[in-house]
Amino acid sequence: MLMQMVTAGGVLALLTLAPGPDMAVVTRRAIASGRAEGLRTASGTVVGLMVWGVLTVAGIATVLAASARAYLVVKLLGAGYLVFLGVQALRHSRRGALQPALSGPGGTAGTGSSFRIGLFCNLLNPKIAVFYTGLLPTLAPDGPPLALGITLLVLLHVVLVLIWLTSYVCAISQARSVFERPQVRRAVGRITGVVLIGFGVQVATANH
């Protein structure tokens, strides 16, 4: 069982480090608003993973992964949300500002908006449902019941993502003075905008 968990941990670690929509929105929020907002976005991502984990153990995510219609709805919602964030980034980059999307009153980021962005970005990614229902059962240890094994792997994945994104946000925040330069702000805004739109298109065109 120990070796199986080590192997599963290695696979989950590699998947955690792979760039994706979650990492893109965390990057944008950390650069735009600093460490605290980046960490709030990361916490939203982690909570999203926990929700997917609960749904997987309950069997609901399996229905989504098996239903072409349900998968399509979530896929299009997720793609639309990523494109929306990307367009917002491109629009703000014209003014040389890294104003976060979904800002609060007065043009400043609301305290809950970063968390919601991370949460919705994760929840509206149907690939996580497919990943949790398709891959986790194959990595689950043989000893405990399957539901318990999947729960352990979900918790392990959550811990890995939390450690990685927290470390990543702290590293970015250390170099924030560089990103505050107007030319750099415009470049980062355009790059993150294009990346987010690209992820949106990728999600929309992905096969079940």
Side-chain angles (χ1 to χ4, degrees), residues 7 41 69 92-93 99 108 111 121 171 175-176 185 192 200 207:
T7 300
T41 309
R69 180 173 296 179
H92 291 304
S93 71
Q99 297 276 343
T108 58
T111 56
C121 182
R176 196 183 173 205
R185 286 203 303 264
T192 55
N207 293 325

Side-chain angles (χ1 to χ4, degrees), residues 8 11-12 15 128-140 150 153:
V11 173
L12 292 174
L15 292 172
I128 298 178
V130 175
F131 163 64
Y132 272 16
T133 59
L135 180 60
L136 286 193
T138 68
L139 297 174
I150 292 176
L153 293 181

Side-chain angles (χ1 to χ4, degrees), residues 17-107:
L17 295 174
D22 291 332
M23 194 173 186
V25 296
V26 168
T27 301
R28 173 161 171 73
R29 297 298 288 192
I31 294 175
S33 302
R35 179 183 301 181
E37 293 301 315
L39 292 176
R40 287 191 183 97
T41 309
S43 66
T45 298
V46 169
V47 171
L49 286 175
M50 293 175 67
V51 172
W52 276 118
V54 171
L55 294 177
T56 300
V57 174
I60 298 175
T62 305
V63 176
L64 173 60
S67 170
R69 180 173 296 179
Y71 182 90
L72 178 62
V73 170
V74 175
K75 180 174 75 169
L76 293 180
L77 286 173
Y81 187 63
L82 290 172
V83 170
F84 167 74
L85 294 178
V87 170
Q88 289 289 308
L90 290 175
R91 191 182 73 179
H92 291 304
S93 71
R94 295 186 204 171
R95 300 197 292 266
L98 278 173
Q99 297 276 343
L102 300 183
S103 57

